[in-house]
């Protein structure tokens, strides 16, 4: 089986790129509105704590989107350039442009690859900062897990940067049109390393809330469990996109001068947008609860277990302090768990 590149008019690619990023921006703006004005949107919703971790999560989300927009601007420039020469003799073109312009196009394309991974890893950092804000004080075990996740994410990010920077030596082989053309994103060995370190990082980040929520499994309603599953499925879209891109490149591994530029760009964009949506979803659940919050409020607004527990909402970005037993293990009562997850379910 031989894979061929995604077929779509060049202007169609441009429209798709901008539509997805504008959609992601809308989701991000809603996230900011809910996190910082949620108490006005939903009566009774606690005001967010303006913790450093929460603020960092917001910064990481918006810078992830900005990095993705740099990628889109570069892709728009490339597709406009190719569109200009779409009626020229294909034998006189290289990557859709005249031969004397191809090296510059490939150089800019190589630079754009860095913004893919910068955007993806800023989204991952936003998730981690969000979890720090919610879970860091729960237990010693959770603190160690968050710290380990942070270190692992940083190391895999450095792996991505080094693959792009040093896989092809000398570096100018990335845009060499007169001899051997090398690219880390077209080499199956490099792509394998990149894909599976990326996927491993996503799975580790998803494991953080799962560790907490499994301890609450007997406290959650069916609706709340469905809400959690939905968030995890959206978060897994970036994993699916990364694996799809890997499969596409695997299929063209032995095809001479395989051109799968659009495949790489589209799946990278899907991965970026899915990550931005996933990190924004918990906050957006508040909007869906606006009409029925009173009917589903926790039985008691006051603290339980002797007043030691202060409950709050994930969607508001407010930290939840949970009681611990003598061994420091996480212990959450039913009322606290239900309110804690109220904006997801």
């Amino acid at each position: 089986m031989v894979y061929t590149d995604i077929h779509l008019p060049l202007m169609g690619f441009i429209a798709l790129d901008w539509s997805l990023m504008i959609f992601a921006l809308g989701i991000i703006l809603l996230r900011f509105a809910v996190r910082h004005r949620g108490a006005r949107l939903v009566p009774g919703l606690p005001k967010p704590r303006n913790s450093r971790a929460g603020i960092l999560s917001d910064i990481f989300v918006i810078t992830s989107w900005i990095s993705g927009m740099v990628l889109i601007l570069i892709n728009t420039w490339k597709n406009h350039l190719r569109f200009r020469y779409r009626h020229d003799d294909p034998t006189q073109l290289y990557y859709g442009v005249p031969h004397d312009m191809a090296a510059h196009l490939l150089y800019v394309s190589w630079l754009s690859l860095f913004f893919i991974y910068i955007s993806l890893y800023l989204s991952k950092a936003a998730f981690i900062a969000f979890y720090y804000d919610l879970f860091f004080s729960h237990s010693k075990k959770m603190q160690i897990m968050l710290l380990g996740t942070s270190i692992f994410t940083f190391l895999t990010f450095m792996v991505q940067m080094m693959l792009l920077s040093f896989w092809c030596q000398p570096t100018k082989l990335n845009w060499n049109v007169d001899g051997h053309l090398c690219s880390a994103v077209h080499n199956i060995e490099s792509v394998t390393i990149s894909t599976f370190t990326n996927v491993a990082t996503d799975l580790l980040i998803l494991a953080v809330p799962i560790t907490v929520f499994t301890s609450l499994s007997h406290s959650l309603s069916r609706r709340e469990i469905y809400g959690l599953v939905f968030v995890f499925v959206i978060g897994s879209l970036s994993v699916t996109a990364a694996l799809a891109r890997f499969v596409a490149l695997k299929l063209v591994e032995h095809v001479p001068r395989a051109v799968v530029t659009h495949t790489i760009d589209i799946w990278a964009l899907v991965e970026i947008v899915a990550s931005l949506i996933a990190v924004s979803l918990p906050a957006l659940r508040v909007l869906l609860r606006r009409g029925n919050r009173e009917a589903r409020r926790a039985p008691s607004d006051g603290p339980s277990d002797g007043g030691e527990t202060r409950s709050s909402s994930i969607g508001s970005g407010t930290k939840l302090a949970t009681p611990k037993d003598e061994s420091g293990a996480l212990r959450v009562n039913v009322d606290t768990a239900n309110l804690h997850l109220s904006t997801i379910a």
Side-chain angles (χ1 to χ4, degrees), residues 14-54:
I14 294 174
L16 179 63
D17 286 350
W18 283 88
S19 297
L20 287 176
M21 289 304 291
I22 290 173
F23 175 74
L25 178 61
I27 298 295
I28 292 169
L29 292 177
L30 283 174
R31 175 187 189 269
F32 274 75
V34 170
R35 272 183 48 77
H36 298 286
R37 300 174 65 88
R40 296 183 181 180
L41 292 172
V42 181
L45 187 69
K47 292 183 179 181
R49 293 168 63 256
N50 291 319
S51 67
R52 292 181 180 178

Side-chain angles (χ1 to χ4, degrees), residues 145-163:
M145 185 173 186
L146 284 168
L147 180 60
T149 301
S150 301
I151 293 172
F152 184 81
T153 301
F154 175 76
L155 292 177
T156 57
F157 172 71
M158 294 306 299
V159 168
Q160 307 295 349
M161 296 296 101
M162 287 189 289
L163 284 173

Side-chain angles (χ1 to χ4, degrees), residues 135-328:
F135 305 136
F136 188 74
S137 63
H138 281 195
S139 67
K140 187 68 174 179
K141 177 182 177 181
M142 182 54 61
Q143 293 176 14
I144 294 173
M145 185 173 186
L146 284 168
L147 180 60
T149 301
S150 301
I151 293 172
F152 184 81
T153 301
F154 175 76
L155 292 177
T156 57
F157 172 71
M158 294 306 299
V159 168
Q160 307 295 349
M161 296 296 101
M162 287 189 289
L163 284 173
L164 294 176
S165 301
F166 304 118
W167 186 264
C168 299
Q169 291 298 314
T171 307
K172 64 181 180 180
L173 289 179
N174 286 281
W175 55 88
N176 180 25
V177 296
D178 297 317
H180 174 65
L181 179 63
C182 176
S183 174
V185 296
H186 288 269
N187 183 284
I188 197 61
E189 294 177 3
S190 171
V191 170
T192 300
I193 297 171
S194 174
T195 299
F196 288 98
T197 52
N198 185 25
V199 169
T201 305
D202 284 335
L203 294 177
L204 183 59
I205 292 173
L206 282 175
V208 173
I210 290 175
T211 301
V212 176
F213 296 146
T214 50
S215 68
L216 311 179
S217 58
H218 299 296
S219 306
L220 305 182
S221 68
R222 179 177 297 179
R223 185 186 296 270
E224 288 167 335
I225 291 174
Y226 288 160
L228 288 175
V229 170
F230 178 65
V231 171
F232 295 141
V233 167
I234 293 296
S236 299
L237 283 179
S238 61
V239 175
T240 303
L243 293 176
R245 185 169 46 154
F246 172 78
V247 170
L249 291 172
K250 181 67 177 176
L251 291 173
V252 298
E253 179 182 6
H254 301 297
V255 178
R257 294 183 63 180
V259 180
V260 288
T261 303
H262 292 311
T263 296
I264 294 172
D265 291 343
I266 291 299
W267 283 110
L269 181 61
V270 169
E271 198 172 351
I272 289 170
V273 172
S275 297
L276 290 170
I277 292 174
V279 78
S280 301
L281 270 181
L284 298 186
R285 188 63 183 111
V286 172
L287 296 177
L288 300 181
R289 288 184 52 81
R290 188 173 183 177
N292 62 356
R293 180 172 177 80
E294 291 299 324
R296 295 180 54 205
R297 292 182 69 179
S300 173
D301 291 330
S304 57
D305 288 353
E308 294 295 325
T309 302
R310 177 167 52 87
S311 61
S312 60
S313 164
I314 282 182
S316 67
T318 307
K319 196 173 187 176
L320 172 68
T322 58
K324 301 176 184 177
D325 57 22
E326 294 180 357
S327 65

Side-chain angles (χ1 to χ4, degrees), residues 329-345:
L330 178 63
R331 183 163 55 86
V332 183
N333 60 54
V334 173
D335 291 345
T336 299
N338 287 338
L339 188 55
H340 180 60
L341 296 169
S342 64
T343 57
I344 292 184

Side-chain angles (χ1 to χ4, degrees), residues 41-78:
L41 292 172
V42 181
L45 187 69
K47 292 183 179 181
R49 293 168 63 256
N50 291 319
S51 67
R52 292 181 180 178
I55 293 171
L56 274 177
S57 180
D58 290 342
I59 292 172
F60 287 145
V61 168
I62 195 63
T63 51
S64 173
W65 183 85
I66 291 173
S67 181
M69 276 305 303
V70 174
L71 171 68
I72 295 309
L73 289 170
I74 292 175
N75 287 345
T76 299
W77 170 78
K78 290 192 303 183

